[in-house]
Amino acid sequence: MMDLTAREILSSYRKRTLSPVEYANALIAHIARWESTLGALYAYEPDRLVSEARLSEQRWMNGRPCGILDGVPATLKELIATRGLPIPQGSIATKLVPATYDAPPAARLKEAGALIFAKTTVPDFAMLSSGLSTFHPLARNPWNLACNPGGSSAGAAAAAAAGYGPLHVGTDIGGSVRLPAAWCGLVGFKPSLGRIPIDPYYIGRCAGPMTRTVGDAALMMNVLSQPDARDATSLPYADIDWDSYYKGMDVRGLKVGLMLDAGCGLELDDEIRVAIENMAGVLADMGAKIIPVDPVMTPTMLSGLDHYWSARSWAELSQLPPDRLEKVLPFIRTWAQRGEKVSGVAAVDGLGQTFAMRRKCAQLFEHVDIVLSPTTPNVSFPAEYPGPTNDPERSFDHIAFTVPWNMSEQPAISIHCGFSHGGMPIGAQIVTPRFADLQAIRLAAMYETARGPMPRWPLPPS
């Protein structure tokens, strides 16, 4: 039952072959087998889940579901505000103050009838691609508990891969939806900036679905993309037919830019290179034209971004009282404190590198229709690491394939495309032109169909 998609669950509710209460009870039992070792959840409320499932079940029995997700369990990343719950930001240095409102993704899911039964864990201040936190238990990768799920949507990725229900929402400012999705074998979609309203908003910051299938990601887009005036960066609402994801598209003659060099950061693992080349071969067999392309990122761009973010982070952390600053994860404190030595000129130049990325991305799309690349340069890394390099001087070296598309505001989706020799998932990234979100979803769905269903999902510890 835990391998059912959201679409299959809803179909079962309609046919009355499964009830929201039955599914909720099965989910609670499933989580009980996993969670003590996985560390995916924050503010988990099983009693509330059952109570809300009973109300949903009655609505289905009366033939009046309250929305398109009525009775389907869902989680939200800890950073996404839900009224009445504190937002620890993954750190014991944070004062626990209950949120007074539901952020847009939370509000939309509730309006659609989804049963939000938990938040999902993040690392300290969401500034790591890791499940390491001073507030939450260590989040682990269900494919191999000795490995990291990635981050900062760490708990969301772990929960989705472990079958904690079908619907999960993460946030992404440099790869935080797509990176953990790749390391956990999921679909992770970062839409065009502003397609999903979010609050607070910032340069490149997006919310996005993290699911086991493209169809469920498309289902969530129906809900998450609804308008909300609180996001001053949001796009005008577009009535996109997300449910047409399965129709695919004619890729004959489509110019696919194959990017196997990120231009900086970590060297690409050979196993990932082979998997991406194989995926390119699938698209070529469909009639696409594969064009090797140069990277858009440069070492100057990546180091400039690192300087800017360390300065920005230190500006915030340095305001903490000394006793609370000491509680911040040492890796984060060491990395951020470098920002104390970043001059104003260097910080402004670092911010300017985001526009340099945007320019290079736009220039590339003058010559190709889409870009295909790895999502991550490496396969997996130890659960206890704060990031793939375990080095605060190289803390951004794993995001060179993902971060430029945040800055260019383009849709980018990660989809599972194979396994390493050690049995860990590998993710491929499809990038489409700005605002071409449905095209990204459809291309991913086409590949998913050609690839076939996931041969297996992780099983709970015995």
Side-chain angles (χ1 to χ4, degrees):
M1 187 185 298
M2 292 302 100
D3 287 343
L4 292 174
T5 68
R7 292 177 181 273
E8 289 169 340
I9 292 168
L10 289 164
S11 176
S12 297
Y13 290 172
R14 282 190 290 270
K15 297 174 183 176
R16 300 191 181 182
T17 57
L18 177 67
S19 79
V21 172
E22 289 171 336
Y23 186 83
N25 284 328
L27 176 58
I28 291 166
H30 181 73
I31 291 172
R33 291 191 289 271
W34 264 116
E35 184 58 14
S36 63
T37 54
L38 203 61
L41 301 183
Y42 161 64
Y44 173 42
E45 299 180 281
D47 291 342
R48 180 178 175 181
L49 172 59
V50 173
S51 176
E52 292 187 351
R54 289 194 185 103
L55 297 175
S56 172
E57 184 171 292
Q58 191 59 54
R59 291 192 293 270
W60 281 102
M61 292 294 290
N62 294 337
R64 292 194 296 271
C66 69
I68 67 168
L69 300 179
D70 196 350
V72 181
T75 72
L76 288 162
K77 188 174 180 177
E78 185 238 273
L79 301 185
I80 299 172
T82 50
R83 186 167 58 87
L85 280 178
I87 306 171
Q89 302 179 87
S91 178
I92 59 173
T94 302
K95 285 188 174 181
L96 299 181
V97 179
T100 57
Y101 66 96
D102 287 329
R108 300 295 86 76
L109 286 177
K110 289 181 179 180
E111 290 164 3
L115 309 183
I116 300 174
F117 67 94
K119 309 290 283 292
T120 49
T121 56
V122 299
D124 275 51
F125 299 100
M127 284 304 299
L128 299 174
S129 193
S130 170
L132 183 62
S133 165
T134 57
F135 183 88
H136 302 296
L138 176 65
R140 296 177 180 272
N141 192 319
W143 290 96
N144 182 339
L145 294 173
C147 292
N148 208 295
S152 59
S153 304
Y164 286 20
L167 304 179
H168 308 270
V169 182
T171 61
D172 189 315
I173 200 168
S176 289
V177 161
R178 290 159 290 157
L179 293 166
W183 282 314
C184 291
L186 306 170
V187 174
F189 182 42
K190 182 206 79 66
S192 296
L193 183 71
R195 180 70 69 202
I196 295 175
I198 193 168
D199 180 38
Y201 47 85
Y202 195 70
I203 298 167
R205 185 171 190 251
C206 300
M210 300 177 71
T211 59
R212 287 183 168 188
T213 66
V214 178
D216 277 356
L219 177 65
M220 294 187 82
M221 288 303 296
N222 284 292
V223 173
L224 297 173
S225 63
Q226 293 296 312
D228 194 305
R230 289 175 289 176
D231 184 351
T233 68
S234 61
L235 298 173
Y237 175 69
D239 187 15
I240 296 172
D241 184 8
W242 300 105
D243 289 330
S244 67
Y245 72 95
Y246 63 89
K247 293 182 179 178
M249 53 185 291
D250 187 355
V251 300
R252 289 175 295 181
L254 188 76
K255 291 179 287 185
V256 177
L258 179 60
M259 185 182 293
L260 294 174
D261 178 4
C264 51
L266 292 175
E267 185 176 348
L268 183 63
D269 283 1
D270 287 339
E271 290 180 293
I272 297 177
R273 180 185 302 275
V274 170
I276 303 303
E277 289 174 339
N278 289 341
M279 181 170 171
V282 172
L283 295 177
D285 290 342
M286 294 178 181
K289 182 179 181 181
I290 309 300
I291 304 170
V293 296
D294 294 330
V296 292
M297 290 290 289
T298 66
T300 299
M301 291 177 185
L302 192 64
S303 63
L305 190 69
D306 190 1
H307 290 155
Y308 168 71
W309 273 100
S310 64
R312 183 181 184 273
S313 296
W314 184 244
E316 295 179 352
L317 293 182
S318 63
Q319 300 304 308
L320 295 174
D323 61 325
R324 288 172 56 200
L325 181 59
E326 284 299 312
K327 295 178 180 179
V328 175
L329 189 76
F331 184 97
I332 289 289
R333 199 167 61 243
T334 299
W335 168 77
Q337 196 159 8
R338 297 181 311 151
E340 188 175 23
K341 299 178 180 179
V342 175
S343 70
V345 171
V348 170
D349 179 70
L351 179 60
Q353 294 303 320
T354 65
F355 296 97
M357 294 176 210
R358 184 176 185 133
R359 186 175 299 109
K360 286 289 292 290
C361 293
Q363 290 170 349
L364 173 59
F365 270 79
E366 291 177 4
H367 308 289
V368 299
D369 300 312
I370 70 166
V371 167
L372 172 65
S373 80
T375 307
T376 66
N378 61 307
V379 173
S380 61
F381 58 101
E384 296 79 10
Y385 276 20
T389 63
N390 196 28
D391 181 355
E393 297 298 324
R394 302 184 62 199
S395 61
F396 280 21
D397 275 19
H398 61 288
I399 67 172
F401 281 116
T402 52
V403 71
W405 315 114
N406 294 79
M407 301 306 118
S408 66
E409 304 182 6
Q410 292 175 237
I413 189 166
S414 180
I415 185 166
H416 176 72
C417 67
F419 289 97
S420 72
H421 294 309
M424 295 304 290
I426 294 172
Q429 180 177 232
I430 298 170
V431 186
T432 53
R434 196 171 171 217
F435 312 134
D437 301 77
L438 184 58
Q439 183 188 36
I441 291 279
R442 284 182 168 175
L443 286 167
M446 286 181 64
Y447 173 72
E448 184 180 60
T449 300
R451 181 205 70 194
M454 183 71 81
R456 66 187 188 281
W457 286 103
L459 297 174
S462 56

